[in-house]
Amino acid sequence: MKRLILMRHAKTEPWGEGVDDFGRALTERGKEDAKRMAEELVGMGWSPERILVSTARRARETCSEVAKVVEGEKVRPMESLYLSGVRGLADAVAQNDGAGTLMLIGHNPGLHDFSMEILREGGSFDHQDALRLVEKFPTSCCALFEADEHGAFVPVHFRLAGVLRAKDFREADASS
C-alpha cells in the first residue's frame, strides 16, 4: 500500500507591510499545531518516509516541528513547491514516489486544488471526510490518501482515507 500525506503549513504571522510572504514565520500556536498533527499521524501509523517541503520559512518551520516527532524521515526542500499549482505538485510527487509514505508540506491554494483533483479521480473511503476536504483546507490540515498500487504515482489509484485538522484536536482538548 502507498500513502500520500498533503499538509498545509501551520499558522503564521500575518502578512503585511514590512513582512515578506516567503519569510513569514510560524506563530506559537502554529508550532504546537504542527507538532500535534505529527503526533496524530504517528499514532495512526502514518509516519512519512520522505517529506517534500516548500522552501518558504513557514513550510520549513512546519517541517521542523513534524521532524521532532517523526523518526527516520528524509526531508527534501524544493523551491518549486512555493505557491505551486496542481501540475507542479503532481510532478513533485511523481518524481519522489519511491517512498511507501510520502508527505508534502506546502501552500494553498495549490494543496487544496491538488487534494481535490485526487479526490475527484480516486474517490474517498468516507463521504464525511470528502465533504470536509471540499469545504476547506486550513493551516496544519492533513489530507491522507492511500493506494493499493505500488507503482508510479497515478491520482486515480489514490482514495481519500482521512482529513485531520488541528482545530478539531484543539477543540477536543478544550472539552476534555
Side-chain angles (χ1 to χ4, degrees):
M1 178 173 299
K2 289 187 76 131
R3 291 178 167 168
L4 174 63
I5 304 166
L6 301 179
M7 181 178 191
R8 184 176 174 199
H9 64 78
K11 183 80 174 162
T12 63
E13 63 186 350
W15 184 60
E17 194 172 321
V19 178
D20 172 34
D21 181 61
F22 190 82
R24 288 171 42 208
L26 293 186
T27 63
E28 281 307 309
R29 188 185 97 192
K31 291 176 184 178
E32 292 168 8
D33 286 350
K35 184 178 177 203
R36 176 63 183 267
M37 297 307 283
E39 291 168 349
E40 293 297 329
L41 288 168
V42 168
M44 295 170 57
W46 280 68
S47 295
E49 296 165 27
R50 184 176 303 150
I51 302 174
L52 309 179
V53 61
S54 162
T55 54
R57 180 177 178 181
R58 60 192 179 271
R60 288 182 290 115
E61 288 182 358
T62 300
C63 185
S64 178
E65 294 301 319
V66 168
K68 290 176 183 177
V69 177
V70 177
E71 294 184 25
E73 84 292 335
K74 295 178 183 169
V75 175
R76 181 170 179 214
M78 298 179 71
E79 286 182 39
S80 64
L81 296 180
Y82 178 62
L83 303 180
S84 184
V86 171
R87 177 65 181 219
L89 296 172
D91 288 348
V93 170
Q95 293 167 9
N96 290 277
D97 67 0
T101 301
L102 177 66
M103 178 181 230
L104 191 151
I105 300 174
H107 312 270
N108 271 354
L111 273 181
H112 192 206
D113 293 344
F114 185 41
S115 65
M116 293 302 300
E117 181 73 19
I118 298 170
L119 177 63
R120 274 191 292 280
E121 292 191 33
S124 174
F125 290 108
D126 182 288
H127 183 67
Q128 291 303 316
D129 281 335
L131 291 175
R132 291 182 61 194
L133 184 61
V134 169
E135 175 190 353
K136 194 174 185 183
F137 205 96
T139 54
S140 296
C141 183
C142 292
L144 314 177
F145 294 93
E146 288 183 325
D148 292 331
E149 303 291 324
H150 285 284
F153 172 72
V154 179
V156 73
H157 293 163
F158 282 80
R159 292 183 73 189
L160 180 66
V163 176
L164 305 179
R165 292 183 179 169
K167 180 181 177 181
D168 296 338
F169 296 111
R170 282 194 311 274
E171 289 173 356
D173 291 344
S175 66
S176 298

